[in-house]
C-alpha cells in the first residue's frame, strides 16, 4: 500500500508547530502570573494542550508513513483521524471548563488584572499565532495532510483567542481611566466566556469530520460523484454494464473498492490483461489524486457487487 507523500516537509511543519507551541507555553504562563489574568491563563492552557498534541502529532506523522504490516493490514493512516478526534475533544473540554470557571469568577466580583502588561502579551501572541498559522497554511498547500490542516486551524483559533484578549484588555484599560473603573474587573471573565464559546465551532467541526472517518462513513456526494466520473473515464476502453464504487477516506488515504460488472462482449485471454487494466486505471487516478488507493474486481453477476 502506498503511504503518504511530501512526508519530509510535513514533519518539518509539525516540528515548527511543536517548538513554537512549547515557547508559547512559557510566554503565556509567565504573563498570566504577572497579570493575574484568567483569560491569559486559558490561552496558556490552550498552548500547553497544543504542545502535547503536537508531540503526539509528530509521532503519528511517523507512523502513517509506514507500510502495512502483520498488525495493520491497511497501514497506519486510520490513526490520523483518531488523533484529530482526540485533539478536538480535549479542546472542547478545555473551552467548557474555562467558561464554567469564568462564570464562577463573575459571581465572585470579577478578576482584577494588570491590563498594561496584558496588552503587551496580546500584541505578541496575536502576531505570532497568525504568523505561524499563515506560514503553515502557505507551506502546506502542496500537501494532503489532515495533521497539518488541524495544526493550521489550531494556530488560527489561538490567534483569534489572542486578538480577542488584546481587544478586551485594551477596552478594560480604557475603562480603568474613567469613572466606571469598578467594572473593569468584569472584563476578564466576560471575555473568557465569550472566547470559550466562540471557538467551540472549530473543534466541533474537526470532531465531526474525524468521527466520520473513524466510523468509515463515505465522503459527501459532491466528492464521490467527481471520483466516480474520473474513474469511469479511465475505463472507457472496457466494455461494462455498470461500475459500482465504494469509497472511504482514512486520514490522507482515499480507498476505492471498484466492482466492474462486465458486458457479455468483454473477454480476455490472460490474467495479465486484467492486471493491465487495473494498472492503467489506478495510475491515471493517482496522477489526478495521489491519495487514492484502489482495488478493482471484474464480475459478471451484478449480485456480487451488492
Amino acid at each position: 500500500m502506498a503511504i503518504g507523500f511530501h512526508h519530509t516537509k510535513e514533519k518539518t511543519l509539525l516540528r515548527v508547530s511543536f517548538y513554537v507551541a512549547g515557547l508559547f507555553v512559557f510566554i503565556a504562563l509567565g504573563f498570566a502570573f504577572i497579570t493575574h489574568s484568567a483569560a491569559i491563563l486559558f490561552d496558556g492552557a490552550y498552548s500547553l494542550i497544543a504542545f502535547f498534541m503536537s508531540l503526539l502529532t509528530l509521532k503519528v506523522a511517523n507512523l502513517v508513513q509506514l507500510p502495512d504490516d502483520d498488525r495493520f493490514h491497511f497501514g497506519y493512516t486510520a490513526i490520523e483521524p483518531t488523533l484529530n478526534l482526540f485533539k478536538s475533544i480535549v479542546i472542547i473540554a478545555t473551552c467548557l471548563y474555562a467558561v464554567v470557571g469564568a462564570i464562577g469568577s463573575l459571581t465572585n466580583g470579577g478578576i482584577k488584572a494588570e491590563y498594561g502588561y496584558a496588552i503587551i502579551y496580546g500584541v505578541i501572541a496575536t502576531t505570532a499565532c497568525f504568523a505561524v498559522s499563515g506560514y503553515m497554511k502557505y507551506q502546506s498547500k502542496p500537501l494532503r495532510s489532515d495533521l497539518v490542516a488541524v495544526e493550521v486551524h489550531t494556530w488560527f483559533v489561538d490567534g483569534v483567542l489572542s486578538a480577542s484578549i488584546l481587544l478586551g484588555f485594551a477596552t478594560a484599560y480604557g475603562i480603568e481611566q474613567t469613572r466606571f473603573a469598578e467594572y473593569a474587573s468584569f472584563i476578564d471573565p466576560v471575555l473568557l466566556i465569550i472566547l470559550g464559546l466562540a471557538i467551540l465551532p472549530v473543534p466541533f467541526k474537526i470532531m465531526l469530520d474525524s468521527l466520520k472517518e473513524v466510523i468509515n462513513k463515505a465522503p459527501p456526494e459532491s466528492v464521490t460523484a467527481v471520483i466516480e466520473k474520473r474513474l469511469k473515464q479511465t475505463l472507457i476502453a472496457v466494455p461494462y454494464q455498470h461500475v459500482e464504487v465504494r469509497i472511504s477516506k482514512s486520514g490522507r488515504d482515499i480507498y476505492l473498492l471498484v466492482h466492474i460488472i462486465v458486458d457479455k462482449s468483454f473477454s480476455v485471454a490472460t490474467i495479465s490483461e486484467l492486471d493491465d487494466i487495473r494498472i492503467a486505471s489506478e495510475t491515471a487516478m493517482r496522477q489526478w489524486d495521489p491519495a487514492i488507493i484502489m482495488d478493482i474486481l471484474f464480475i459478471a453477476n451484478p449480485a456480487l457487487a451488492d
Side-chain angles (χ1 to χ4, degrees):
M1 183 182 294
I3 303 290
F5 31 82
H6 299 299
H7 59 276
T8 301
K9 189 168 187 179
E10 177 187 49
K11 290 178 184 177
T12 299
L13 290 174
L14 293 175
R15 287 192 187 99
V16 169
S17 179
F18 172 72
Y19 290 124
V20 177
L23 178 62
F24 257 80
V25 171
F26 290 103
I27 293 175
L29 295 181
F31 270 95
F33 177 77
I34 293 171
T35 61
H36 310 292
S37 168
I40 294 180
L41 183 62
F42 172 61
D43 200 22
Y46 186 91
S47 296
L48 184 62
I49 291 170
F51 175 75
F52 284 112
M53 291 299 102
S54 294
L55 185 62
L56 283 176
T57 301
L58 276 170
K59 178 63 177 176
V60 170
N62 289 323
L63 283 176
V64 296
Q65 303 300 330
L66 298 177
D68 51 287
D69 54 30
D70 291 338
R71 292 187 304 163
F72 292 86
H73 291 184
F74 292 93
Y76 291 80
T77 54
I79 298 176
E80 193 170 355
T82 304
L83 173 64
N84 290 336
L85 177 63
F86 174 69
K87 289 169 71 173
S88 62
I89 291 174
V90 171
I91 292 173
I92 289 170
T94 303
C95 291
L96 294 177
Y97 179 80
V99 169
V100 172
I103 293 174
S105 297
L106 269 181
T107 59
N108 292 323
I111 301 172
K112 181 68 175 177
E114 295 291 338
Y115 299 118
Y117 287 112
I119 291 173
I120 295 174
Y121 169 80
V123 172
I124 295 172
T126 301
T127 303
C129 288
F130 282 135
V132 173
S133 178
Y135 172 78
M136 292 187 68
K137 184 175 182 178
Y138 176 77
Q139 292 294 326
S140 65
K141 282 183 178 180
L143 306 181
R144 297 174 184 271
S145 171
D146 287 345
L147 293 176
V148 175
V150 170
E151 289 295 302
V152 170
H153 281 301
T154 300
W155 280 107
F156 181 79
V157 168
D158 205 0
V160 172
L161 191 66
S162 300
S164 301
I165 287 173
L166 174 59
L167 179 62
F169 287 149
T171 302
Y173 183 80
I175 291 176
E176 274 195 328
Q177 314 309 313
T178 70
R179 58 192 179 90
F180 300 105
E182 61 183 293
Y183 297 107
S185 61
F186 293 104
I187 294 294
D188 193 83
V190 168
L191 183 61
L192 188 52
I193 292 172
I194 294 173
L195 293 177
L197 295 177
I199 67 176
L200 278 177
V202 175
F204 261 117
K205 184 180 185 304
I206 294 173
M207 181 184 70
L208 293 177
D209 290 343
S210 300
L211 182 61
K212 290 175 184 177
E213 293 187 23
V214 169
I215 65 176
N216 211 28
K217 184 178 180 180
E221 179 64 27
S222 58
V223 175
T224 60
V226 173
I227 293 175
E228 289 182 21
K229 181 180 178 180
R230 288 274 184 174
L231 175 65
K232 289 178 180 179
Q233 289 174 352
T234 70
L235 300 171
I236 195 168
V238 179
Y240 62 82
Q241 297 179 23
H242 178 64
V243 175
E244 183 70 32
V245 187
R246 288 179 171 84
I247 304 171
S248 67
K249 183 178 182 299
S250 181
R252 64 201 61 204
D253 289 341
I254 300 174
Y255 176 67
L256 276 60
L257 176 59
V258 184
H259 289 88
I260 301 176
I261 305 170
V262 297
D263 192 80
K264 292 181 179 180
S265 61
F266 179 82
S267 65
V268 292
T270 64
I271 298 297
S272 296
E273 293 181 49
L274 295 179
D275 289 343
D276 290 340
I277 296 172
R278 293 187 180 99
I279 292 170
S281 178
E282 183 167 7
T283 299
M285 291 297 289
R286 287 182 63 82
Q287 286 176 347
W288 172 62
D289 188 343
I292 287 178
I293 298 169
M294 294 171 53
D295 282 320
I296 299 179
L297 303 176
F298 297 89
I299 59 177
N301 184 352
L304 295 177
D306 294 338

